[in-house]
Amino acid sequence: MRAEERYDLIVIGAGINGAAIAREAALAGLKTLIVERGDISCGTSSASSRLIHGGLRYLEHAELDLVRESLLERERLLRLAPHLVEPLELCIPVYRGARRGRWQIGVGLALYDLLSAGKSLPRRRSFTRDELLRHMPGLNADGLVGGASYYDAQVRYPERLVVENVCDAVANGATLETHTRVTRIRVDGGRAVGVDWQSARGAGGAAAPLIVNAAGPWVDDVLGSIRHTRLIGGTKGSHIVVPRFEGSPRSGVYVEAGADQRPFFILPWNGLLLIGTTDERYEGDAGLATIDARERAYLVAETERVFPGAAGLGGRVLYTHTGVRPLPYEPRGSEGAITRRHLVRRHRAARGLYSIVGGKLTTHRALAEDVLRKLRGELPRPASRNLTRERPLPGALSAADRSALLAELAARFGERRAQRWLAVYGRRAADVAALAARPELGAPLGDSDVLTAELVHGITAEWAVTLEDLLQRRCMAGLDADFGLTVAPAAAAALTQLELWDAARAAHELASYRELAARHGAAG
Ligand SMILES: Cc1cc2nc3c(=O)[nH]c(=O)nc-3n(C[C@H](O)[C@H](O)[C@H](O)COP(=O)(O)OP(=O)(O)OC[C@H]3O[C@@H](n4cnc5c(N)ncnc54)[C@H](O)[C@@H]3O)c2cc1C
């Protein structure tokens, strides 16, 4: 890219929202540039509860329009990204003395069903105490009075959802610069006119009459000296990842914590359990947020309370995830009451500049549509609208195509690997398989299921640069029980052997990856 290329639109940040906006814009025919400080999806989008959900809890705050929109998007994602988004049953056990009684939960779930009329997912069920214990035998029976279940959806790898949004954007003409930090938004005569950036290759910049600041919890930092009232008041949320334990649930559990009556999730995920989240105001650098001892003890104790088989869980935490929700700045009131609805802020001090506040993983597509609608009056030429409502993600495939591809890949690469590839890459597994047919790329990394071809695919087809990018957000081995620490040295060695990295680079990448693992509490 030339130093001063001119675009119609620059999107700052390649989290789920920036990626979706860039996709929508590129499909609408806008010449679009995405600039990302780190890697695709390296921010909040990788630290969520991984649910594609209406947000049952938001009903308590009467956010009916948000719930309705989220439920519509949930249905769309089940259809347009079936390789990544799957139905998930969630059970709500109710214990004596709970803040939300059975009737209240029943009313909430009835409303949830009503707001998602016509959905493909099963409807709610209610359970007596004995029925629930039969349905979920590991539950603590003490004080249990009954419960209910309902369906939402889970995205095992939101990281891949973001990558695929970017893939579609680039396939439709967008340009992507990763590991490139926007250092300043240029303003001239009250108009935003471009950005300056810094990367390992040096300083640079690009011009555009429209700029969308989708930097998540870093939105205010990106605005720098541009006059604005504070937009983001992030809240920190942490999860622990643990192995399954005796009696651990096969469905998700959404249950009130004994300590503070906040509902939290215990979710079967990736062959493990994902437990969270906490929700507390956070003022530091979002990139440095980590779980603290109190949050960790809270999640462990509350899980042990609901599942006696979890006793001693504190010693079995595999790793943790912490993210900062980019919520609107509201200095007072409870964290849980801050709206999860997105806002698109137009900047008077820099016309043509818009900042995104909030926005759930679930509603990224609708948010992108909303942003394009807001930009409409300022676009250089008329643009088509609502282009993603029926557009599958690049890895999406029908059930029949999935079975055929699975059979073909299983015959060539083994059943387990074929299953994993389809869950990670969907249809794009065929591209990985084509690379794996080359003798130098067909070898597994150590004893793992991951092939060298997956690393090369990540680098050549999906803009991965570092070992962290590859393991955490491309081949997804970094989310295995060992945080990818077993496969990491083999991956670095394979890339050295292919002469993509020299020995010094491989050592540096490995050391950085081990530091990352330590920050996530993964045992080295
Ligand atoms: C604990 C937790 C649980 C959640 N659970 C769910 C859930 O289950 N379901 C759901 O729908 N939502 C959930 N959410 C909300 C959802 O994850 C976030 O709202 C969403 O991921 C925000 O995406 P984003 O693209 O706006 O921000 P981010 O993903 O943070 O992306 C912003 C990007 O901007 C980049 N950036 C920052 N500064 C610069 C710069 N100067 N130059 C260039 N790039 C820059 C960052 O590197 C980052 O990649 C959860 C959030 C948290 C924290």
Side-chain angles (χ1 to χ4, degrees), residues 287-482:
L288 301 177
T290 51
I291 193 167
D292 60 41
R294 198 173 29 81
E295 288 175 284
R296 193 180 160 117
Y298 168 89
L299 294 173
V300 166
E302 292 296 345
T303 308
E304 289 174 337
R305 190 180 64 85
V306 182
F307 287 99
L313 197 65
R316 281 179 280 147
V317 174
L318 298 167
Y319 58 87
T320 66
H321 267 297
T322 298
V324 175
R325 301 174 183 84
L327 302 180
Y329 177 57
E330 282 184 22
R332 278 170 290 281
S334 94
E335 291 85 347
I338 303 173
T339 184
R340 264 51 174 175
R341 195 177 288 137
H342 74 256
L343 309 166
V344 182
R345 282 275 182 258
R346 182 185 183 151
H347 291 276
R348 287 217 188 89
R351 290 188 311 283
L353 171 64
Y354 294 79
S355 288
I356 309 300
V357 181
K360 295 163 47 169
L361 206 55
T362 307
T363 48
H364 64 275
R365 199 210 56 82
L367 178 148
E369 224 175 69
D370 188 27
V371 170
L372 265 281
R373 204 177 303 124
K374 296 223 158 63
L375 296 184
R376 203 173 341 135
E378 302 189 58
L379 294 180
R381 66 197 91 87
S384 325
R385 290 163 59 190
N386 307 336
L387 295 152
T388 49
R389 289 188 179 184
E390 297 303 327
R391 184 180 173 83
L393 268 293
L397 70 182
S398 68
D401 287 353
R402 186 185 188 283
S403 301
L405 187 56
L406 179 64
E408 183 200 323
L409 296 178
R412 290 171 59 199
F413 300 99
E415 173 75 22
R416 211 171 67 175
R417 185 170 291 126
Q419 290 281 7
R420 188 176 66 76
W421 280 4
L422 279 162
V424 174
Y425 307 105
R427 177 181 296 286
R428 291 162 67 83
D431 303 341
V432 176
L435 283 174
R438 295 187 2 211
E440 75 280 17
L441 303 184
L445 300 176
D447 295 334
S448 80
D449 254 356
V450 184
L451 299 190
T452 305
E454 295 181 59
L455 305 179
V456 173
H457 183 260
I459 293 170
T460 57
E462 296 185 338
W463 311 278
V465 175
T466 68
L467 189 57
E468 175 187 333
D469 303 352
L470 285 165
L471 300 186
Q472 291 283 315
R473 295 175 289 271
R474 299 302 186 285
C475 75
M476 307 318 300
L479 300 192
D480 288 349
D482 68 347

Side-chain angles (χ1 to χ4, degrees), residues 13 15-17 36-37 44-45 48-49 51 182 215 217 325 359 361-362:
I16 190 67
N17 289 325
E36 164 55 52
R37 175 175 77 165
T44 312
S45 299
S48 77
S49 302
L51 291 173
V182 169
R325 301 174 183 84
L361 206 55
T362 307

Side-chain angles (χ1 to χ4, degrees), residues 12-19 35-53 58 180-183 214-219 221-222 235-239 265 277-278 321-326 356 358-363:
I12 304 170
I16 190 67
N17 289 325
V35 188
E36 164 55 52
R37 175 175 77 165
D39 180 34
I40 299 167
S41 193
C42 69
T44 312
S45 299
S46 295
S48 77
S49 302
R50 299 170 185 267
L51 291 173
I52 298 298
H53 62 159
Y58 313 143
T180 300
R181 187 168 67 89
V182 169
T183 50
W218 298 275
V219 155
D221 300 343
V222 165
T235 72
K236 177 170 93 148
S238 294
H239 293 88
F265 294 106
T277 169
T278 52
H321 267 297
T322 298
V324 175
R325 301 174 183 84
I356 309 300
K360 295 163 47 169
L361 206 55
T362 307
T363 48

